Amino acid sequence: MGKYIAKRLGALVIILIGLSFLTFSLTYILPSDPVQQLIESMGGSHDPVVMEKIQDEYGLDRPFIEQYTDWMIGVLHGD
């Protein structure tokens, strides 16, 4: 019985990692720019220097895998 439960828990972990990857991937490929939306919601202009600074601050200029890893670490820490 213990072997069965361990096997099911292992499968659950794999499924949760897959779902988190799918969720992050879908939000990553959305056609909208989160930096642009943030600036518009604050009533700012489309200054390229400001947009680059915000992208750097939030890590949006890094590769997909690095962003996913940081996101997963944040999720595991409850962020």
Side-chain angles (χ1 to χ4, degrees), residues 8-78:
R8 298 293 287 187
L9 287 175
L12 176 66
V13 169
I14 292 171
I15 290 170
L16 288 176
I17 290 172
L19 283 174
S20 72
F21 187 80
L22 180 66
T23 302
F24 185 81
S25 298
L26 289 175
T27 58
Y28 185 82
I29 62 172
L30 284 175
S32 63
D33 183 15
V35 174
Q36 184 178 0
Q37 289 181 350
L38 177 67
I39 290 174
E40 287 176 359
S41 70
M42 295 170 52
S45 63
H46 296 282
D47 185 14
V49 175
V50 173
M51 291 181 73
E52 186 176 316
K53 183 178 177 187
I54 292 173
Q55 285 178 339
D56 184 48
E57 180 180 336
Y58 288 108
L60 298 174
D61 56 349
R62 290 184 288 156
F64 172 79
I65 292 297
E66 287 182 27
Q67 289 184 32
Y68 174 71
T69 304
D70 288 343
W71 181 75
M72 272 301 290
I73 290 170
V75 167
L76 293 174
H77 285 144

